[in-house]
Amino acid sequence: MTVRKQALALGAIVAASALPGASNPGAAQHVAPPPPAAYALENVTVFHADGREEVGVNIVIRRGFILAMGPGVPIPPDAQILEGDSLRVYPGFVDAQGKAALELPEVENRQAVLPWAPPREAQGFTPHRLAADFLVGFGPDGKEARTAGVVAAGIHPEGGMAPGQSAVVIFRTDAGSPSETVGRPSVGLSFSFQGARGVYPGTLFGVIAHFRQMFEDAAREGLIQTEYAQSPIGLHLPKWDPDLEALRSATSGRLPVFFTANSAGDIRRVLGLADEIGFRPIIVGGEEAWRVAEELSSRGVPVLASVDFSRPTEWEPPEKPDEGAEPTEEPTESEPLEPGAAREKERLEHAYANAAHLVDAGVTVALTSGGQGGDFREGVAKAMEYGLSEEDALSAVTTVPASILGIPSVVTVAQGMAANFIVTDGPVFGEDTGILYTFVEGGLEKGRAGGGGGGSGEAPTVDVTGGWDVVVIAEGMEMPFSMTLTQEGDTFSGSMTSDEAGEAEVAGGTVSGSELTFTLIFSMGTESMELSAKATVEGDTMSGSGSGQMGSFTFRATRDPGTEGGAR
């Protein structure tokens, strides 16, 4: 089979040219089609993070920057116009406690470690390490973040009391290596009260004592270095300790400390250590920060408040009435809750209202995914339901975290600035709003419309979960594939493989009635190729078509016997 026919049998995915044994090395340059010379949006409403609104705006993006922006701005003839009705533009989200793939070193032989005299690696005390040095993801790995509207994130290493230094990641679409995603390699030290496993310090009080001792050692080493610099007579050349140097960067004010703490007691312990030692804390997590809001406000301590709320297990929250719906009957007095449900209700409602209480007290608040990444708009909407204003919510996911992480320009939507913004089909935190497009430094990631599904927005009538035997037909050629899908609600994802062409990711799948839309993504090193596909499911059979850079294809599929799924 020729390279071209093999590619067309995949719907014009030319991954075959980059597979082992390909005979035409020059074909790799055609793997990814070049982007348009420019993108354009017509007659959109721009919502700035400071509350300003601009109506009827045209935006032109070229070479990664906003070339022109304003009412009546002419659209260049070579620009691809991004379609959509009543589109809204917002600054891209900055997830100040986000998610990226890290592979931190681990102690190889813990059995040989002396519990009373462990190395710092076993204690989880390596503040000199840069999380940026241990990133393993690059451009394609940021797709989940980009489709959720997140353009940048703070990445905090975990796994000990001081596992390293936090970094800023920019989810660039064209990043060909982990280092190309790094926006700032060091924005602060990452601390927690997590004790060491099986060695000292394993308890809370041991951890606090160890922090105190190490900062004392850091101060002493700093004095020795100062004395030597003034006069080396009678002194040896000071030894270099990268961990103690990192601690001095905190006490000097050069770097803040991102300190993970959720309970009010732990937050007060952080504030006490900061007062005693002299570092600048930023609370990460902060579930009970509302209890100490005045103390945080008086000290000017920011909070990266997670909106990754736990799901209720005993308390059943009341259903929200449809917007504009009239009550059909007089409200009845609810029955008293069981003690467990009452406690859970109180805890969760305080967590939901946490951000609003902090803002009211004058605390600087950024809302985060809690390190989970993905779409955290549901959590932001819950915080708004419990008192946080829309304006404060928008700034809490844009300007506030961008300022804390030292990247304020990333959320500025203006002519001449790098194109970092999202385009929605409704209010950004609306339940049925979809993020249609996300720009990261001019690179485009397409999302999907809101309304609970693709196409007409019908509720799914089929479940495609399970294994499928697929035959792709293009240019008279047939090629067999195996496909595995997992459906949740009206979305699905999975993979599709063949011996000839390798594996493709099935991404962005949506189900509307019995109609499917999805994207196939083939990755070859730093390159990737996408094609769009649509299908109809009837019982245990599926048929559809798709297209890519070099042509179109059709396919048919049969569900593997005994797998899950079927009609709903």
Side-chain angles (χ1 to χ4, degrees):
M1 181 181 297
T2 67
V3 171
R4 176 174 172 79
K5 287 184 178 180
Q6 187 173 17
L8 286 172
L10 299 176
I13 298 179
V14 290
S17 63
L19 293 175
S23 60
N24 183 7
Q29 63 183 316
H30 299 297
V31 168
Y39 294 102
L41 293 157
E42 290 185 297
N43 197 30
V44 300
T45 302
V46 180
F47 294 80
H48 297 277
D50 59 8
R52 289 180 297 120
E53 295 182 18
E54 294 183 77
V55 181
V57 175
N58 292 352
I59 301 177
V60 178
I61 303 99
R62 190 184 294 275
R63 297 189 180 92
F65 295 90
I66 299 176
L67 177 68
M69 173 177 165
V73 165
I75 305 299
D78 61 347
Q80 176 182 325
I81 298 176
L82 301 178
E83 302 295 340
D85 296 328
S86 303
L87 296 181
R88 298 171 174 230
V89 169
Y90 294 87
F93 297 151
V94 177
D95 186 355
Q97 187 192 4
K99 178 183 178 182
L102 285 176
E103 289 185 1
L104 296 172
E106 296 184 358
V107 178
E108 293 185 1
N109 186 9
R110 280 192 167 270
Q111 293 181 343
V113 174
L114 299 176
W116 59 89
R120 291 177 187 168
E121 288 78 4
Q123 293 176 313
F125 191 89
T126 53
H128 74 281
R129 283 180 177 167
L130 298 179
D133 289 337
F134 301 97
L135 290 167
V136 294
F138 57 106
D141 298 292
K143 182 179 180 68
E144 179 186 8
R146 292 189 295 268
T147 54
V150 179
V151 302
I155 305 302
H156 310 286
E158 299 176 345
M161 58 187 294
Q165 298 183 32
S166 305
V168 172
V169 166
I170 309 296
F171 291 109
R172 299 179 173 111
T173 60
D174 60 350
S177 67
S179 63
E180 292 179 7
T181 68
V182 177
R184 294 190 64 195
S186 175
V187 292
L189 308 186
S190 182
F191 284 4
S192 77
F193 288 124
Q194 180 179 339
R197 180 161 55 92
V199 300
Y200 174 82
T203 65
L204 172 62
F205 292 114
V207 168
I208 293 174
H210 194 67
F211 271 130
R212 286 173 171 149
Q213 183 62 59
M214 296 307 292
F215 273 104
E216 286 285 348
D217 292 346
R220 177 178 178 276
E221 186 185 76
L223 290 174
I224 292 173
Q225 291 181 352
T226 301
E227 290 293 327
Y228 185 86
Q230 292 175 349
S231 174
I233 297 175
L235 295 174
H236 295 293
L237 184 68
K239 297 177 181 179
W240 176 62
D241 188 318
D243 290 323
L244 299 187
E245 183 175 306
L247 297 187
R248 286 195 298 276
S249 71
T251 53
S252 69
R254 187 174 68 85
L255 289 176
V257 172
F258 293 94
F259 215 124
T260 299
N262 281 295
S263 71
D266 277 351
I267 294 172
R268 289 193 175 100
R269 291 184 182 96
V270 173
L271 298 179
L273 274 176
D275 291 345
E276 175 187 338
I277 294 170
F279 60 80
R280 178 162 50 97
I282 297 172
I283 302 299
V284 179
E287 182 175 336
E288 291 187 350
W290 61 274
R291 294 184 182 272
V292 291
E294 296 301 329
E295 298 166 63
L296 293 165
S297 178
S298 65
R299 289 172 168 83
V301 175
V303 176
L304 310 187
S306 170
V307 292
D308 181 34
F309 303 121
S310 58
R311 300 290 182 182
T313 58
E314 298 183 63
W315 168 53
E316 185 175 346
E319 293 186 9
K320 285 177 57 178
D322 294 336
E323 188 175 347
E326 295 290 335
T328 56
E329 57 183 25
E330 291 295 323
T332 58
E333 187 174 344
S334 58
E335 296 181 4
L337 296 174
E338 294 292 331
R343 288 191 296 270
E344 183 177 65
K345 176 180 183 292
E346 181 181 22
R347 178 180 64 81
L348 286 176
E349 289 193 325
H350 279 308
Y352 299 154
N354 184 34
H357 287 318
L358 292 172
V359 169
D360 290 344
V363 179
T364 299
V365 179
L367 300 180
T368 80
S369 70
Q372 301 305 306
D375 195 339
F376 60 104
R377 287 184 299 157
E378 180 182 352
V380 176
K382 180 63 71 173
M384 292 170 60
E385 184 183 339
Y386 278 76
L388 188 67
S389 71
E390 183 175 4
E391 183 177 347
D392 287 332
L394 183 59
S395 64
V397 296
T398 54
T399 53
V400 172
S403 176
I404 290 173
L405 297 176
I407 51 170
S409 63
V410 167
V411 294
T412 302
V413 182
Q415 185 170 318
M417 300 299 293
N420 294 299
F421 59 81
I422 61 179
V423 184
T424 72
D425 57 7
V428 68
F429 301 120
E431 184 177 355
D432 296 325
T433 294
I435 296 177
L436 303 182
Y437 311 104
T438 299
F439 281 95
V440 183
E441 295 188 346
L444 174 64
E445 187 74 66
K446 293 183 180 180
R448 69 185 184 96
S456 64
E458 293 181 60
T461 58
V462 296
D463 188 340
V464 297
T465 297
W468 295 79
D469 293 324
V470 184
V471 176
V472 173
I473 306 102
E475 287 194 346
M477 302 295 297
E478 294 190 357
M479 181 180 289
F481 286 83
S482 295
M483 182 167 64
T484 302
L485 303 177
T486 300
Q487 180 175 331
E488 294 184 7
D490 62 352
T491 65
F492 67 92
S493 60
S495 61
M496 191 164 121
T497 61
S498 80
D499 293 337
E500 291 85 354
E503 181 173 350
E505 176 189 1
V506 179
T510 63
V511 186
S512 176
S514 61
E515 304 292 325
L516 312 181
T517 60
F518 57 95
T519 301
L520 286 173
I521 305 172
F522 274 76
S523 297
M524 293 78 59
T526 60
E527 302 286 353
S528 65
M529 171 59 73
E530 298 186 9
L531 74 123
S532 58
K534 58 184 179 180
T536 301
V537 177
E538 294 184 7
D540 291 330
T541 62
M542 181 190 304
S543 59
S545 61
S547 61
Q549 180 190 1
M550 293 175 60
S552 60
F553 66 99
T554 61
F555 67 93
R556 61 179 184 270
T558 305
R559 193 190 302 270
D560 292 341
T563 62
E564 301 177 23
R568 290 194 165 191

